[in-house]
């Protein structure tokens, strides 16, 4: 699994993109990467099948849960190049301070998690649902630990391994292709486990957390940033329902659970909860601001702005027309636009959070 839920509309923190210029190399990578491991002439049918899973197009929650592996794999094959093109290597939001750049906040969000876990040199760490490994590389370098990334998407793993080699982490950090509902590790294998906006893809939170519990050593900690509906969400409110459906469609989610459901699932899995908090609640800069084109402008994040989005939309249209991008690329962009709208509206109405944090410990065997 990859992180959950980002796309080209996120701020452009790719490389040193610090002007209005869009690099030809970046555009080419976006075009040729759409579809991931899916054959280019099958991208459109993959988009059709993916969309039919979701309630926004009449799909059922049960079907999404029953077919979550296929659904999520299709999602990340379709969107990963969009993610990296506009967002960089770390596909997640962050608690952000005033005067702090988005890139700085993302790094601090990852460092915060490492510090909460008490990571030390020599620790063996598991990143559950690691995407292309942006957080994995940052946390491994920050804490001098060995991090294994678990991901069920072959395209993202291939990309992550290439990026590890680029920064010289291929000897100490690696990726394993597997479903996080059935991890291929022995019991008590890791000194710490974390998940950054990834386990929201799980069809069953308790079963997912139980697998994490199983592979974690006794007395050690698990930390998670979860996507959740807050207590302000009204399941009978049509507008709230539509926002939730847009987020699920645009981010490959079978269902968005509430903060209370997630906390209870952690406890049912056997963990002792050390503390939990919705970190979005007191973020000085709203977490959704980078997606809010009515408020946000940045030269370094130009691809995100209203003008940048317009240019990217037409660029994708042109690339698809001339055959550089596969047929269906515009459709991917369209459901990612819906996701952006849902995330911004969910954030503004405070019915959705992208960073419900839980730190939990696996009890010692003799406790």
């Amino acid at each position: 699994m990859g992180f959950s839920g980002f796309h080209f509309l996120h701020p452009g923190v790719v490389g040193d993109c610090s002007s209005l210029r869009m690099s030809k190399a970046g555009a080419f990578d976006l075009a040729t990467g759409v579809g991931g491991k899916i054959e280019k002439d099958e991208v459109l049918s993959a988009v059709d099948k993916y969309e039919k899973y979701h309630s926004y197009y009449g799909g059922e929650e049960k079907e999404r849960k029953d077919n979550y592996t296929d659904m999520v794999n299709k999602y990340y094959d379709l969107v990963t190049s969009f993610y990296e093109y506009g967002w960089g290597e770390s596909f997640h939001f962050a608690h952000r301070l005033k005067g702090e750049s988005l890139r700085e906040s993302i790094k601090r969000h990852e460092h915060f998690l490492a510090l909460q876990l008490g990571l030390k040199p020599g620790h063996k760490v598991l990143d559950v649902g690691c995407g292309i490994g942006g957080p994995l590389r940052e946390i491994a370098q920050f804490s001098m630990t060995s991090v294994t990334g678990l991901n069920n998407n072959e395209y993202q793993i291939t990309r992550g391994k290439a990026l590890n080699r680029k920064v010289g982490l291929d000897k100490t950090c690696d990726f394993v292709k597997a479903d996080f509902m059935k991890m291929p590790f022995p019991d008590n294998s890791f000194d710490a486990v974390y998940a950054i906006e990834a386990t929201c893809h799980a069809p069953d939170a308790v079963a997912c957390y139980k697998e994490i519990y199983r592979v974690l050593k006794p007395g050690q900690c698990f930390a998670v940033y979860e996507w959740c509906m807050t207590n302000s969400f009204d399941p009978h409110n049509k507008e709230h329902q539509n926002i939730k459906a847009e987020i699920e469609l645009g981010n490959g989610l079978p269902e968005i659970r509430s903060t209370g459901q997630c906390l209870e699932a952690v406890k049912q899995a056997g963990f002792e909860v050390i503390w939990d908090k919705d970190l979005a609640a007191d973020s000085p800069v709203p977490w959704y601001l980078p997606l809010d084109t009515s408020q946000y402008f940045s030269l370094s994040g130009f691809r995100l702005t209203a003008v940048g989005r317009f240019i990217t939309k037409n660029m994708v249209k042109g690339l698809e027309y001339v055959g550089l991008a596969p047929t269906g690329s515009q459709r991917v962009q369209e459901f990612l636009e819906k996701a952006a709208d849902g995330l911004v509206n969910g954030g503004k109405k405070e019915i959705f959070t992208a960073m419900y944090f839980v730190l939990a410990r696996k009890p010692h065997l003799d406790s």
Side-chain angles (χ1 to χ4, degrees):
M1 305 294 173
F3 145 77
S4 20
F6 294 82
H7 49 81
F8 81 98
L9 297 176
H10 290 269
V13 291
V14 183
D16 55 355
C17 176
S18 58
S19 71
L20 303 188
R21 176 180 59 84
M22 294 203 180
S23 72
K24 292 181 181 178
F28 181 77
D29 288 344
L30 167 61
T32 56
V34 174
K37 292 293 183 180
I38 299 171
E39 294 295 327
K40 301 307 178 186
D41 60 356
E42 296 178 0
V43 167
L44 183 59
S45 62
V47 174
D48 284 335
K49 186 172 182 182
Y50 171 76
E51 289 183 341
K52 287 176 182 176
Y53 281 125
H54 289 276
S55 60
Y56 194 90
Y57 293 104
E60 299 292 333
E61 179 185 315
K62 183 179 185 302
E63 187 178 8
R64 293 196 297 277
K65 289 184 174 180
D66 289 346
N67 298 281
Y68 76 95
T69 300
D70 179 64
M71 181 187 72
V72 176
N73 255 306
K74 278 186 170 57
Y75 175 76
Y76 281 110
D77 274 330
L78 292 169
V79 306
T80 294
S81 65
F82 282 94
Y83 277 26
E84 191 175 356
Y85 174 72
W87 186 252
E89 297 176 20
S90 292
F91 304 159
H92 64 82
F93 291 101
H95 178 279
R96 187 172 170 187
L97 304 175
K98 289 183 178 180
E100 186 177 43
S101 72
L102 179 69
R103 191 183 190 99
E104 289 169 341
S105 72
I106 287 173
K107 284 180 175 287
R108 184 173 55 78
H109 204 58
E110 293 164 356
H111 296 174
F112 172 83
L113 187 148
L115 292 169
Q116 291 298 311
L117 286 170
L119 299 187
K120 294 178 174 57
H123 274 179
K124 186 179 177 183
V125 183
L126 177 65
D127 180 332
V128 176
C130 60
I132 62 172
L136 176 155
R137 286 180 287 279
E138 184 65 33
I139 288 172
Q141 291 172 320
F142 176 74
S143 60
M144 294 185 285
T145 54
S146 173
V147 184
T148 298
L150 183 77
N151 191 324
N152 208 21
N153 184 269
E154 185 179 348
Y155 177 70
Q156 288 195 333
I157 288 178
T158 300
R159 183 69 184 130
K161 286 183 175 181
L163 291 168
N164 275 11
R165 288 193 296 271
K166 186 176 179 180
V167 296
L169 286 177
D170 51 310
K171 299 294 191 296
T172 56
C173 297
D174 200 6
F175 297 86
V176 173
K177 185 182 185 303
D179 183 345
F180 57 28
M181 303 297 290
K182 295 171 286 189
M183 291 193 249
F185 307 117
D187 295 355
N188 311 319
S189 294
F190 295 95
D191 298 295
V193 180
Y194 66 84
I196 301 178
E197 302 176 20
T199 47
C200 49
H201 289 301
D204 182 331
V206 175
C208 179
Y209 293 152
K210 280 184 175 179
E211 268 295 271
I212 291 169
Y213 182 96
R214 180 183 67 79
V215 302
L216 181 64
K217 293 178 181 178
Q220 302 304 107
C221 290
F222 164 56
V224 61
Y225 291 128
E226 276 286 9
W227 279 30
C228 294
M229 306 311 295
T230 70
N231 292 335
S232 298
F233 173 72
D234 179 359
H236 304 294
N237 182 305
K238 293 290 186 183
E239 184 182 18
H240 289 194
Q241 289 175 358
N242 187 63
I243 290 170
K244 180 173 179 283
E246 285 181 334
I247 297 172
E248 289 168 344
L249 165 69
N251 297 284
L253 306 179
E255 176 197 20
I256 306 175
R257 292 171 280 269
S258 70
T259 54
Q261 287 173 322
C262 280
L263 184 63
E264 185 59 29
V266 171
K267 294 176 180 177
Q268 287 183 30
F271 286 104
E272 298 172 343
V273 174
I274 298 173
W275 70 283
D276 70 292
K277 181 178 175 61
D278 178 5
L279 298 181
D282 62 356
S283 180
V285 177
W287 62 268
Y288 56 83
L289 182 65
L291 295 180
D292 188 357
T293 56
S294 68
Q295 300 292 324
Y296 185 80
F297 183 81
S298 166
L299 292 181
S300 64
F302 179 70
R303 292 171 182 172
L304 163 71
T305 64
V307 176
R309 283 169 62 167
F310 177 79
I311 291 174
T312 304
K313 182 176 182 178
N314 283 281
M315 181 189 72
V316 172
K317 182 178 180 180
L319 290 168
E320 185 173 326
Y321 179 77
V322 300
L324 283 176
T327 303
S329 297
Q330 293 179 77
R331 291 269 299 281
V332 176
Q333 182 181 2
E334 287 168 5
F335 71 66
L336 292 176
E337 290 268 6
K338 288 185 177 69
D341 293 340
L343 290 166
V344 170
N345 291 329
K348 286 183 173 180
K349 293 182 179 298
E350 299 182 348
I351 64 171
F352 171 82
T353 177
M355 56 190 76
Y356 176 56
F357 178 77
V358 180
L359 179 67
R361 180 186 294 112
K362 178 176 180 176
H364 288 283
L365 295 177
D366 57 357
S367 63

